[in-house]
Structure formats: structure tokens, C-alpha cells
């Protein structure tokens, strides 16, 4: 069995641990190292045998730390501490951070432009278009947001469209409060219907027709109360 597959759970009926449903006790001289330092966790997994302690959060399994040799953990911590004090390492980290920030800033502009291109509102509604593009971008592009904007598997134009529809689903419909039957395909169908409703609403602003902003769910979500 691979070390990374050796997972343990807290025993809900006692103070011990469980592995494959059986009670287990960490070897003598082991200690628990909580998650939080990715570099330390990675080194410890590479350094020798360890148990990955997990728990269930909502619908997924998350690691909360490692059980491993206390002596090994102390040695790895000391090694990492020396490396992290190295001025050259700090300069590399700062340079990497600046590159990531510059890349993120460029992508933010690129994504906002793609959203605006998808919206393509008539000139009279250009102000509303700008506010919607900014709102969708602010929600979708942060690193770690888990939104469609962060995937590279589909073209930018499709990411922009999907992000707009997702934003409108949560901000201009009652989707978040709907009671949807647990029937296969039901949630997908509800989302499809709401997406069509959102696309029809967007089309009104593309065509340049009159709109009562006081009663428009999109305008209300963006804080608009009068004509743009």
C-alpha cells in the first residue's frame, strides 16, 4: 500500500483512530502535524512513512494533518527553517509573487474584456454593461475561486459566457432558495431554464429597447435605480 493511501479517521466512538474500519494506534514516537504548511507536509510525505488524517467536510474528504515520526518531523522543520531564512530564497519568492500578481492582473483585464464582448449591450446601456462586466469579473477571476473563469479547458469566450450566466443565476433568480427535487437531471434542467431566462434578459439590453430599471432583476442586482 502506498504511504499516501494510508489514511486514518478520528474514531467517533472513542479517542483513537480508524483505518479501513479498524482501530489503530500511531507508532511510539510519532506526533500529529496539522495541515497548513504545504512545504512541510510535502517534505514529510517524501521523507518516510506517515499517516494522512482526514475528515469529511460536506461532500468531500479533506486532509487535516499527518501522523509521522516526531524525530523526522523535527529534522524536516529544521531543514526548512534554514532554507526559508536564506535571503536568496526570499528574493525568489518575491519575484515569483510579482510575476503571479502581474499575470493575475493581465488575466483580470482580459477576462473583463471577454465578458463585455459577450454582453455587447446597446450604446444606451453601456454603463450597465460595464457594471455587470466588473461584477462578474470580481466574482469569477480570483485565484482559488473555483469558478469556470479559472479553468483552461474551454476557450475564454465560453468561460466569459458561463461566468455571466452563473452570476445571473445566483444574483437575479431565486435559484439559491429553490427546493429542487432529488431526481436525476432535475437540477440540470432547472439551471437550463434559468439560463434561457437570463439570456432573454440580456438580449433586451443588446437590442437597446426600453427597460424599467426599477423592476429589472439585473439592474437591481447591480444597484441601478434609473436609466443608464
Amino acid at each position: 500500500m502506498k504511504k499516501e493511501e494510508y489514511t486514518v479517521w478520528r474514531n467517533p466512538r472513542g479517542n483513537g483512530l480508524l483505518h479501513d474500519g479498524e482501530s489503530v494506534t500511531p507508532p511510539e514516537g510519532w506526533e500529529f502535524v496539522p495541515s497548513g504548511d504545504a512545504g512541510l507536509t510535502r517534505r514529510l510525505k517524501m521523507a518516510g512513512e506517515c499517516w494522512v488524517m482526514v475528515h469529511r467536510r460536506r461532500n468531500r474528504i479533506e486532509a487535516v494533518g499527518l501522523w509521522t515520526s516526531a524525530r523526522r518531523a523535527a529534522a524536516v522543520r529544521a531543514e526548512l527553517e534554514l532554507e526559508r531564512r536564506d535571503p536568496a530564497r526570499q528574493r525568489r519568492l518575491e519575484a515569483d509573487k510579482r510575476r503571479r500578481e502581474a499575470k493575475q492582473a493581465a488575466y483580470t483585464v482580459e477576462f473583463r474584456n471577454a465578458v463585455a464582448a459577450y454582453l455587447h449591450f446597446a450604446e444606451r446601456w453601456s454603463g450597465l454593461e460595464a457594471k455587470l462586466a466588473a461584477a462578474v469579473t470580481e466574482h469569477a477571476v480570483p485565484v482559488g475561486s473555483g469558478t469556470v473563469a479559472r479553468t483552461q479547458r474551454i476557450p475564454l469566450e465560453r468561460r466569459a459566457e458561463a461566468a455571466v450566466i452563473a452570476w445571473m443565476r445566483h444574483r437575479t433568480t431565486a435559484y439559491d432558495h429553490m427546493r429542487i427535487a432529488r431526481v436525476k437531471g432535475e437540477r440540470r434542467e432547472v439551471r437550463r431554464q434559468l439560463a434561457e431566462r437570463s439570456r432573454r434578459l440580456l438580449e433586451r439590453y443588446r437590442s437597446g429597447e426600453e427597460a424599467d430599471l426599477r423592476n429589472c432583476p439585473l439592474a437591481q442586482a447591480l444597484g441601478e435605480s434609473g436609466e443608464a
Side-chain angles (χ1 to χ4, degrees):
M1 179 181 295
K2 296 180 180 179
K3 292 190 292 293
E4 58 267 29
E5 294 178 351
Y6 193 5
T7 58
V8 294
W9 303 69
R10 190 177 303 282
N11 190 338
R13 295 184 294 275
N15 296 323
L17 303 174
L18 293 176
H19 172 65
D20 286 346
E22 297 183 359
S23 296
V24 293
T25 301
E28 185 176 353
W30 277 32
E31 69 173 49
F32 178 68
V33 181
S35 299
D37 186 333
L40 177 60
T41 297
R42 185 166 52 250
R43 293 283 184 93
L44 289 174
K45 285 184 176 181
M46 295 172 59
E49 184 182 2
C50 60
W51 298 356
V52 179
M53 186 163 178
V54 300
H55 73 162
R56 185 181 298 279
R57 181 178 180 183
R58 296 183 180 177
N59 295 322
R60 64 179 185 270
I61 305 300
E62 291 186 346
V64 295
L66 300 175
W67 280 96
T68 190
S69 163
R71 180 177 299 178
R72 185 184 304 126
V76 172
R77 285 193 187 97
E79 181 182 77
L80 272 177
E81 184 65 23
L82 284 176
E83 292 181 10
R84 289 170 174 175
R85 288 180 181 178
D86 184 352
R89 180 179 183 275
Q90 293 300 322
R91 290 192 294 270
R92 289 195 301 272
L93 290 177
E94 288 297 325
D96 289 344
K97 180 181 178 182
R98 289 192 294 271
R99 282 194 292 271
R100 289 194 301 271
E101 290 175 345
K103 183 178 180 180
Q104 174 67 5
Y107 181 59
T108 298
V109 173
E110 182 183 24
F111 189 80
R112 184 168 60 240
N113 290 340
V115 171
Y118 167 70
L119 295 175
H120 195 54
F121 286 178
E123 180 63 28
R124 69 182 299 181
W125 300 118
S126 60
L128 196 67
E129 174 192 290
K131 290 188 70 172
L132 179 53
V136 171
T137 301
E138 181 181 4
H139 168 75
V141 302
V143 175
S145 63
T147 68
V148 69
R150 300 307 313 180
T151 183
Q152 298 295 320
R153 293 178 296 177
I154 61 176
L156 178 62
E157 294 76 13
R158 287 182 57 197
R159 279 178 257 160
E161 177 183 2
V164 169
I165 297 304
W167 186 93
M168 293 183 67
R169 180 171 63 247
H170 293 291
R171 298 294 300 274
T172 68
T173 77
Y175 177 76
D176 291 340
H177 307 290
M178 287 181 175
R179 296 176 65 89
I180 301 175
R182 294 187 177 183
V183 177
K184 184 177 181 180
E186 182 67 16
R187 183 169 296 275
R188 185 183 302 112
E189 176 61 18
V190 169
R191 288 162 68 109
R192 186 195 66 78
Q193 293 177 6
L194 294 178
E196 287 304 312
R197 184 188 306 175
S198 294
R199 290 188 176 94
R200 288 196 297 271
L201 178 56
L202 293 174
E203 194 56 41
R204 292 173 53 191
Y205 289 104
R206 293 186 180 113
S207 68
E209 65 181 79
E210 293 284 347
D212 181 1
L213 298 187
R214 292 171 298 180
N215 295 309
C216 172
L218 176 57
Q220 291 175 353
L222 293 171
E224 289 284 343
S225 58
E227 286 199 357

